[in-house]
């Protein structure tokens, strides 16, 4: 019994110990790496992991507890599974559940967890490891071939050209890896074609192609990926060879003619840009007309400088410092003059000469003040022709004597600088120097300068543009000039000598004290009357820009569309508003710059060089007409008004310009307007005296000076002529000239005086004819009524033709009804005898004239101008008996017959 109990106790203890031993058998969790990197091929199902998949358990080598029963993958839709290869070692394997596609998804990420076998075969009390991250990359397999984007690639080339890139063919591969998805090279399959292809698919020609040969070249190309798999379908390439196309402007004329007075003229009415179908990003074209060879740079008003200043509204009081040489203005006689059709003479200063202006020709007040204006045209030649001038060159130098003091100013150029030195008081103040640095000073071209001093302000206008000076105080560093009033042009005195000479051309130099010119006046003096313009802004294309420089010599167009650009260029115009422009050639140039999307193969448009020809304008015909002779009583000559010289003067002006189609035609007035509707204007008329000069003691020419001044005209009277100057229309000059009268003092000897008159316009460019007239005196001759004159003329013509010497003179006749027939017969016989004698005397006079030696030509010319030999319609009465008495051929009692007949004529 005791033995049985012992056995039962032993069994119980053994069961308890066994139970305790079983609970302690699965103490640890499995362990594995925290992260795995895997690779799987598209055509395989096993994932190659790094590191290899192993799970360890510290309970090993106990059965079940130390063994790995499986791996579990976490992640919805994961196309992989894990299997245990060896439960004892814990080795596992990840494999794909099905085929994997790199193109569908190239990488996969998921987690994996291992678990042991538990404490027994039933897997009870199984433990799990931590979760490890697995990254699996699907490696591509070259399963796809390259495919071309187009079946046929087309391009065109111009014959004779070599292209770096004609076109590009391109293929794609659907593989996902860089190795198999890239096209590594292309190949031309067609042999013997003049093209090559590079690895990027760019095709270029290996030789210039000719359109005369094969116009369309076809060949086949293929592509290979980096796995050397060839494209499934090859591509075709077609390249068209076009005839040579040169990008250029087309449809323009090299020579363009401009008819004066025709208004504006389109320079390129049919021009268009040929781009040879090349893509263009932007276009810029510059049209330039060259007029530097015309006078002072372009066509300006041809009036004299003085007249032009009046037309522009300049303040009065200008003094011309470089006038044309004349007995009155003789200080410019030593200066060379350049021939020009411009409005004022052009003087050349050669760098070694200067002129001094007489003090009497300077403005009132001495010629210097705190307010003055200097205006001039200058073409500076520099020390040796431009910028290289190293010495200062003086244009104008003036020392002025004021009330007990002296002031001084100097205008000079130095290289590309122009300076104005002003010294208000030589004794007390310091000089102030204003300096401008300008390219215009040294570019050897004409420029207009206007310097206005309103001390301490100085303004300089160059070609109508204002420039600010740099102010410099010399602080007495300069040597004070002599205390002597002198003005010099082209140089300045230094001590007792003159130096710092100017080298260049100067024209229109004038000085005015007081009021300075306005900006509008300066612009008017400088303004060109010819140039480029653009007026059709309404049809200007979108994005187009137009710019014209102030001188209207350059016009720039900008745009981005070739057709719109061509239409805009067709509306660029030339206009010369002068009625009588300077004829000749104006060179034209058109420069074009084209920008493309890329600089490779961008177009180059050749420059166009042409010329515009301004045709010779038809000269205006200014004709003066009036009576060639008039006679007046002595009392009229000695009266307060004198006798008019040209009482019936008539001026006609005709111009044969064609009327522009866009102008309204109208019937012209020949005395005022030309046929094209432009008003004729005169600038100068001069009345000259033939024979001896006027004796100022008892002879004079006069006119209404106040009326002339109110109309903007100036007069200059001398013993030889009367000059009227100023721009005015024909009607004004007619009125002024008709008012000119000749007067003599009482008890002066009276005899016939001959005068001539002529007019001109455009600064003497067009001159009228010379009109001659003679003013005679009636010495005791009485005028008869028109009825009696007609009876006398009929009587003479019925009896006998009057001799040439009496042609144009009316004989005094009595009323035939109041005398006896016998007396009438005696008178008739006597008159016939007288007429015969006068004829004889006339023939003798002609014979004697021809025999005279040195005086023959003069007498013959006088006879040609003498209206007594031709005009038979004059109303001047001359007593033929008086003519015979003066020659001593008829006794005095004979001549008294006519005097006694005069009361008979007046009897009823």
């Amino acid at each position: 019994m005791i033995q049985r109990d012992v056995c039962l106790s032993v069994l119980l203890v053994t069961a308890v110990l066994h139970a305790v031993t079983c609970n302690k058998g699965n103490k640890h969790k499995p362990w594995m790496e925290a992260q795995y990197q895997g690779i799987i091929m598209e055509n395989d199902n096993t994932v190659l992991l790094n590191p290899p998949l192993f799970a360890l358990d510290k309970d090993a080598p106990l059965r079940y507890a130390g063994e790995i029963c499986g791996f579990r993958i976490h992640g919805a839709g994961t196309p992989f599974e894990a299997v245990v290869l060896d439960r004892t070692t814990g080795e596992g394997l990840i494999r794909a559940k099905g085929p994997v596609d790199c193109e569908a998804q190239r990488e996969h990420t998921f987690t994996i967890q291992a678990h042991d076998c538990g404490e027994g075969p039933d897997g009870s009390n199984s433990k799990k490891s931590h979760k490890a991250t697995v990254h699996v990359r699907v490696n591509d397999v070259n399963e796809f071939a390259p495919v071309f984007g187009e079946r046929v690639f087309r391009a065109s080339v111009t014959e004779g050209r070599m292209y770096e890139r004609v076109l590009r063919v391109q293929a794609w591969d659907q593989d996902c890896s860089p190795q198999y998805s890239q096209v590594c090279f292309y190949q031309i399959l067609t042999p013997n074609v003049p093209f090559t292809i590079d690895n990027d698919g760019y095709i270029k020609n290996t030789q210039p192609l000719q359109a005369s040969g094969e116009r369309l070249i076809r060949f086949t190309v293929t592509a290979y990926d980096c796995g050397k798999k060839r494209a499934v379908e090859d591509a075709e390439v077609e390249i068209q060879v076009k005839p040579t196309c040169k990008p250029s402007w087309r449809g323009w004329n090299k020579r363009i003619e401009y008819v004066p007075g025709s208004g504006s003229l389109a320079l390129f009415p049919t021009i268009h840009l040929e781009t040879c179908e090349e893509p263009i990003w932007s276009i810029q074209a510059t049209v330039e007309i060259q007029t530097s060879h015309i006078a002072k740079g372009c066509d300006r008003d041809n009036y004299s400088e003085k007249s032009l200043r009046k037309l522009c509204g300049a303040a009065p009081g200008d003094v011309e410092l470089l006038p044309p040489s004349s007995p009155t203005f003789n200080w410019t006689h030593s200066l060379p003059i350049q021939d020009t059709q411009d409005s004022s003479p052009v003087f050349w200063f050669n760098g070694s000469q200067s002129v001094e202006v007489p003090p009497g020709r300077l403005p009132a007040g001495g010629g210097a003040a705190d307010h003055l204006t200097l205006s001039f045209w200058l073409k500076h030649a520099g020390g040796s022709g431009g910028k290289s001038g190293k010495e200062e060159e003086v244009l104008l130098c003036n020392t002025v004597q004021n009330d007990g003091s002296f002031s001084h100013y100097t205008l000079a150029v130095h290289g590309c600088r122009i300076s104005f030195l002003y010294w208000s008081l030589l004794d007390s103040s310091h000089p102030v120097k204003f300096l401008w640095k300008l390219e215009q000073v040294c570019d050897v071209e004409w420029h207009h300068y206007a310097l206005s001093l309103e001390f301490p302000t100085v303004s300089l206008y160059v070609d109508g543009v204002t420039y600010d000076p740099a102010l410099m105080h010399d602080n007495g560093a300069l040597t004070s000039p002599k205390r002597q009033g002198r003005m010099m042009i082209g140089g300045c005195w230094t001590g007792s000598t003159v130096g710092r000479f100017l080298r260049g051309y100067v024209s229109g130099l004038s000085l005015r004290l007081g009021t300075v010119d306005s900006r509008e006046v300066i612009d008017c003096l400088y303004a060109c009357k010819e140039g480029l313009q653009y007026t059709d802004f309404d049809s200007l294309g979108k994005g187009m820009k137009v710019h014209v420089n102030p001188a209207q010599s350059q016009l720039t167009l900008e745009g981005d569309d070739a057709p719109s650009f061509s239409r805009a260029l067709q509306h660029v115009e030339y206009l010369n508003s002068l009625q009588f422009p300077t004829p000749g050639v104006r060179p034209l140039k058109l420069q074009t710059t084209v920008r493309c999307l890329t600089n490779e193969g961008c177009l180059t448009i050749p420059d166009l060089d042409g010329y515009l020809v301004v045709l010779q304008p038809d000269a205006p015909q200014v004709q003066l007409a009036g009576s060639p002779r008039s006679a007046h009583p002595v009392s009229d000559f000695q009266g307060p008004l004198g006798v008019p010289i040209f009482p019936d003067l008539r001026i006609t002006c005709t111009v044969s310009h064609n009327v522009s189609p866009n102008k309204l035609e109208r019937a012209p007035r020949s005395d005022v307007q030309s046929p094209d509707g432009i008003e004729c204007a005169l600038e100068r008329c001069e009345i000259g005296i033939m024979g001896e000069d006027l004796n100022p003691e008892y002879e004079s020419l006069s006119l209404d000076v106040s009326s002339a001044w109110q109309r903007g005209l100036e007069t200059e009277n001398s013993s030889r002529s009367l000059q009227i100057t100023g721009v005015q229309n024909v009607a004004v000059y007619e009125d002024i000239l008709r008012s000119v009268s000749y007067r003599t003092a009482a008890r002066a000897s009276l005899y016939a005086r001959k005068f001539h008159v002529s007019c001109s316009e455009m600064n003497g460019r067009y001159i009228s004819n010379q009109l001659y007239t003679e003013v005679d005196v009636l010495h005791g001759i009485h005028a008869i009524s028109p009825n009696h004159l007609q009876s006398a003329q009929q009587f003479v013509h019925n009896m006998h033709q009057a001799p040439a010497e009496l042609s144009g003179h009316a004989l005094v006749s009595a009323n035939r009804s109041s005398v006896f027939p016998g007396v009438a017969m005696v008178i008739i016989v006597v008159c016939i005898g007288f007429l015969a004698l006068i004829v004889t005397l006339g023939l003798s006079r002609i014979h004697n004239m021809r025999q005279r030696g040195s005086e023959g030509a003069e007498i013959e010319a006088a006879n040609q101008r003498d209206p007594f030999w031709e005009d038979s319609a004059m109303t001047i009465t001359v007593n033929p008996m008086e003519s015979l008495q003066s020659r001593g051929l008829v006794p005095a009692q004979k001549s008294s017959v006519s005097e006694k007949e005069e009361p008979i004529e007046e009897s009823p």
Side-chain angles (χ1 to χ4, degrees):
M1 186 68 176
I2 295 174
Q3 186 176 4
R4 183 181 177 184
D5 292 336
V6 172
C7 291
L8 290 173
S9 299
V10 172
L11 290 174
L12 180 60
V13 172
T14 301
V16 172
L17 292 175
H18 179 71
V20 173
T21 301
C22 291
N23 290 336
K24 292 182 179 180
N26 193 10
K27 294 181 179 181
H28 302 91
K29 295 179 180 180
W31 175 89
M32 58 189 307
E33 296 287 346
Q35 191 170 4
Y36 294 89
Q37 301 292 332
I39 297 174
I40 184 172
M41 303 298 293
E42 277 187 320
N43 56 355
D44 195 2
N45 64 347
T46 302
V47 178
L48 301 178
L49 291 179
N50 181 25
L53 182 60
F54 281 92
L56 303 177
D57 197 318
K58 290 184 178 181
D59 291 325
L62 295 179
R63 186 175 175 81
Y64 301 113
E67 297 177 348
I68 302 301
C69 281
F71 294 94
R72 180 177 296 176
I73 292 177
H74 299 275
T78 303
F80 298 97
E81 62 181 1
V83 295
V84 179
L85 300 179
D86 188 340
R87 295 174 61 174
T88 301
T89 59
E91 181 181 3
L93 174 69
I94 298 178
R95 62 189 180 189
K97 297 178 181 179
V100 291
D101 189 357
C102 176
E103 288 71 34
Q105 186 173 350
R106 189 174 181 181
E107 292 186 355
H108 300 269
T109 301
F110 52 89
T111 58
I112 188 172
Q113 192 176 33
H115 60 90
D116 58 17
C117 295
E119 296 179 351
D122 55 355
S124 59
N125 198 22
S126 173
K127 293 184 179 294
K128 300 178 182 179
S129 69
H130 63 274
K131 294 181 180 179
T133 303
V134 180
H135 298 280
V136 178
R137 186 181 65 199
V138 181
N139 275 1
D140 188 26
V141 176
N142 195 8
E143 56 184 322
F144 295 101
V147 176
F148 284 98
E150 298 180 24
R151 180 68 183 87
V152 179
F153 293 88
R154 295 180 175 88
S156 61
V157 296
T158 302
E159 64 174 349
R161 290 182 58 182
M162 295 295 295
Y163 292 84
E164 287 296 325
R165 295 178 179 179
V166 176
L167 78 160
R168 184 184 185 185
V169 297
Q170 199 167 7
W172 290 268
D173 195 306
Q174 297 183 16
D175 290 313
C176 66
S177 65
Q179 180 181 5
Y180 301 124
S181 63
Q182 293 183 5
V183 178
C184 279
F185 62 95
Y186 295 85
Q187 182 180 2
I188 296 178
L189 302 179
T190 306
N192 302 325
V193 292
F195 295 95
T196 60
I197 189 169
D198 60 16
N199 292 339
D200 294 324
Y202 290 103
I203 297 176
K204 67 178 183 179
N205 57 327
T206 57
Q207 65 185 39
L209 306 176
Q210 300 299 325
S212 58
E214 189 176 1
R215 298 290 295 271
L216 186 63
I217 302 176
R218 295 186 178 92
F219 54 90
T220 304
V221 296
T222 191
Y224 292 87
D225 62 17
C226 294
K228 297 185 179 181
K229 180 170 283 190
R230 178 178 166 179
V232 178
E233 292 186 3
D234 302 327
E236 296 292 330
V237 178
E238 294 181 355
I239 297 180
Q240 182 182 7
V241 182
K242 299 187 301 183
T244 302
C245 177
K246 295 181 179 180
S248 62
W249 290 104
R250 299 183 181 179
W252 63 283
N253 295 322
K254 187 178 183 65
R255 174 188 170 93
I256 305 170
E257 292 187 352
Y258 179 78
V259 179
S262 60
S264 59
L265 173 68
L267 296 176
F268 314 104
T270 59
I271 198 171
H272 68 277
L273 180 61
E274 176 58 63
T275 62
C276 299
E277 301 181 2
E278 295 287 345
I280 292 177
W281 176 258
S282 66
I283 312 171
Q284 177 178 320
T286 300
V287 183
E288 182 178 2
I289 186 167
Q290 301 175 19
T291 58
S292 59
H293 63 288
I294 300 173
K296 301 186 186 79
C298 67
D299 245 350
R300 293 183 170 88
D301 277 313
N302 298 115
Y303 297 113
S304 64
E305 197 75 24
K306 181 184 294 185
S307 298
L308 186 58
R309 294 191 65 82
K310 288 186 177 180
L311 290 175
C312 290
D318 286 270
V319 174
E320 194 173 1
L321 301 180
L322 288 176
S325 180
S326 65
T328 306
F329 309 99
N330 59 359
W331 64 89
T332 60
H333 71 278
S334 62
L335 293 177
I337 297 181
Q338 184 187 32
D339 293 333
T340 176
Q341 293 182 335
D342 215 332
S343 59
S344 56
V346 174
F347 295 94
W348 163 246
F349 291 85
N350 59 11
S352 61
Q353 64 183 138
S354 61
V355 296
E356 184 171 352
V357 182
R361 304 306 306 180
L362 297 177
D370 288 346
H371 291 69
L372 62 86
T373 298
L374 287 169
S375 60
F376 56 94
W377 287 90
L378 174 64
K379 183 179 180 181
H380 182 218
S384 58
K387 300 182 180 180
S388 59
K390 297 181 180 180
E391 301 296 332
E392 185 180 64
E393 305 172 31
V394 174
L395 174 64
L396 186 142
C397 180
N398 191 17
T399 299
V400 183
Q401 183 175 4
N402 303 312
D403 296 335
S405 62
F406 288 88
S407 59
H408 177 85
Y409 60 86
T410 300
L411 182 65
V413 294
H414 186 186
C416 291
R417 295 174 175 86
I418 185 169
S419 63
F420 181 72
L421 174 71
Y422 184 71
W423 209 330
S424 58
L425 290 175
L426 296 182
D427 298 326
S428 58
S429 65
H430 293 296
V432 181
K433 194 171 188 177
F434 303 87
L435 184 69
W436 296 264
K437 184 177 181 181
L438 303 171
E439 289 295 327
Q440 293 91 327
V441 180
C442 55
D443 62 1
V444 199
E445 297 290 344
W446 278 109
H447 296 285
H448 181 263
Y449 299 82
L451 187 142
S452 298
L453 171 66
E454 292 178 290
F455 195 76
T457 302
V458 175
S459 301
L460 178 66
Y461 297 87
V462 182
D463 296 338
V465 180
T466 312
Y467 293 91
D468 296 326
L471 185 63
M472 299 190 307
H473 295 266
D474 282 351
N475 296 324
L478 297 178
T479 303
S480 176
K482 286 185 177 181
R483 270 62 172 173
Q484 179 182 358
R486 297 178 67 183
M487 173 182 282
M488 300 199 70
I489 301 174
C492 193
W493 54 88
T494 304
S496 59
T497 62
V498 178
R500 297 187 291 169
F501 295 107
L502 176 69
R503 181 178 173 84
Y505 295 95
V506 181
S507 178
L509 178 60
S510 65
L511 168 67
R512 184 179 68 254
L513 301 181
T515 307
V516 299
D517 286 329
S518 65
R519 177 66 176 271
E520 292 74 15
V521 171
I522 295 175
D523 289 342
C524 176
L525 294 173
Y526 165 73
C528 290
K529 296 299 182 180
E530 66 172 338
L532 304 174
Q533 67 174 14
Y534 191 93
T535 57
D536 193 19
F537 290 96
D538 294 336
S539 61
L540 197 63
K542 184 178 180 180
M544 293 284 297
K545 297 180 181 179
V546 181
H547 174 73
V548 184
N549 68 339
Q552 293 184 289
S553 61
Q554 192 176 86
L555 185 146
T556 302
L557 284 172
E558 296 181 10
D560 54 11
D561 180 65
S564 299
F565 199 92
S566 298
R567 287 192 297 271
L569 192 58
Q570 292 171 4
H571 290 91
V572 175
E573 299 174 337
Y574 168 81
L575 175 64
N576 196 320
S577 58
L578 286 183
Q579 185 178 0
F580 308 107
T582 304
V585 174
R586 275 76 163 164
L588 277 173
K589 176 170 283 189
L590 174 60
Q591 296 176 308
T592 310
T593 302
V594 177
R595 295 179 58 191
C596 303
L597 296 174
T598 61
N599 291 329
E600 299 179 0
C602 198
L603 304 181
T604 300
I605 309 298
D607 294 342
L608 298 189
D609 290 307
Y611 57 95
L612 180 139
V613 181
V614 177
L615 300 180
Q616 179 73 39
D618 295 329
Q621 302 297 324
V622 180
Q623 293 291 330
L624 308 182
S627 299
R629 173 168 291 182
S630 63
H632 307 271
V634 175
S635 58
D636 291 350
F637 282 90
Q638 299 175 351
L641 300 179
V643 296
I645 303 176
F646 306 101
D648 57 351
L649 175 70
R650 185 173 179 80
I651 306 176
T652 59
C653 176
T654 58
V655 182
S656 57
H657 285 331
N658 295 326
V659 178
S660 179
N662 59 354
K663 293 183 180 179
L664 180 63
E665 292 193 39
R666 53 184 173 179
R669 289 176 52 194
S670 60
D671 61 330
V672 177
Q673 294 179 332
S674 61
D676 59 0
I678 301 176
E679 184 177 0
C680 287
L682 298 178
E683 189 178 13
R684 175 189 176 93
C685 286
E686 180 177 0
I687 299 175
I689 293 93
M690 298 180 64
E692 296 181 359
D693 293 354
L694 296 179
N695 190 329
E697 295 182 1
Y698 58 85
E699 290 182 293
S700 64
L701 294 180
S702 62
L703 78 163
D704 190 350
V705 178
S706 61
S707 176
W709 183 81
Q710 291 175 0
R711 300 179 183 186
L713 300 178
E714 295 182 0
T715 62
E716 183 175 346
N717 205 341
S718 68
S719 62
R720 288 297 302 169
S721 65
L722 172 62
Q723 300 178 8
I724 307 171
T725 58
V727 180
Q728 265 296 356
N729 59 41
V730 167
V732 171
Y733 266 95
E734 272 189 357
D735 185 48
I736 295 295
L737 289 175
R738 289 172 181 174
S739 68
V740 176
S741 61
Y742 169 69
R743 185 180 180 277
T744 60
R747 294 182 302 278
S749 58
L750 300 177
Y751 56 93
R753 270 290 192 180
K754 290 187 177 183
F755 303 91
H756 63 87
V757 62
S758 64
C759 298
S760 64
E761 62 175 321
M762 300 294 177
N763 199 30
R765 187 173 177 181
Y766 302 107
I767 303 175
S768 71
N769 63 308
Q770 290 272 8
L771 175 65
Y772 296 89
T773 189
E774 184 177 36
V775 178
D776 207 348
V777 183
L778 293 175
H779 293 281
I781 301 174
H782 304 279
I784 62 177
S785 65
N787 294 333
H788 295 162
L789 175 63
Q790 183 177 3
S791 301
Q793 289 178 344
Q794 290 176 352
F795 175 79
V796 173
H797 283 288
N798 290 335
M799 296 302 299
H800 193 278
Q801 178 66 35
E805 186 174 355
L806 295 180
S807 177
H809 298 261
L811 298 176
V812 179
S813 62
N815 192 329
R816 288 173 295 178
S817 62
S818 62
V819 295
F820 295 101
V823 176
M825 182 61 68
V826 172
I827 294 175
I828 293 173
V829 172
V830 172
C831 289
I832 294 175
F834 286 160
L835 291 175
L837 179 59
I838 291 174
V839 170
T840 304
L841 292 175
L843 296 176
S844 175
R845 178 184 177 187
I846 295 175
H847 177 72
N848 291 335
M849 287 182 181
R850 294 182 178 178
Q851 295 299 321
R852 293 177 185 175
S854 60
E855 299 178 357
E858 180 180 356
I859 295 175
E860 182 179 356
N863 288 338
Q864 291 177 356
R865 296 192 300 266
D866 195 346
F868 277 81
W869 298 92
E870 297 176 2
D871 193 347
S872 61
M874 297 294 294
T875 61
I876 303 174
T877 60
V878 178
N879 191 341
M881 306 304 293
E882 180 182 22
S883 177
L884 295 177
Q885 286 179 12
S886 63
R887 301 184 186 184
L889 298 177
V890 180
Q893 62 270 19
K894 293 289 184 180
S895 61
S896 64
V897 175
S898 298
E899 298 177 0
K900 293 179 180 180
E901 289 176 351
E902 186 171 345
I904 299 175
E905 179 182 351
E906 296 175 355
S907 61

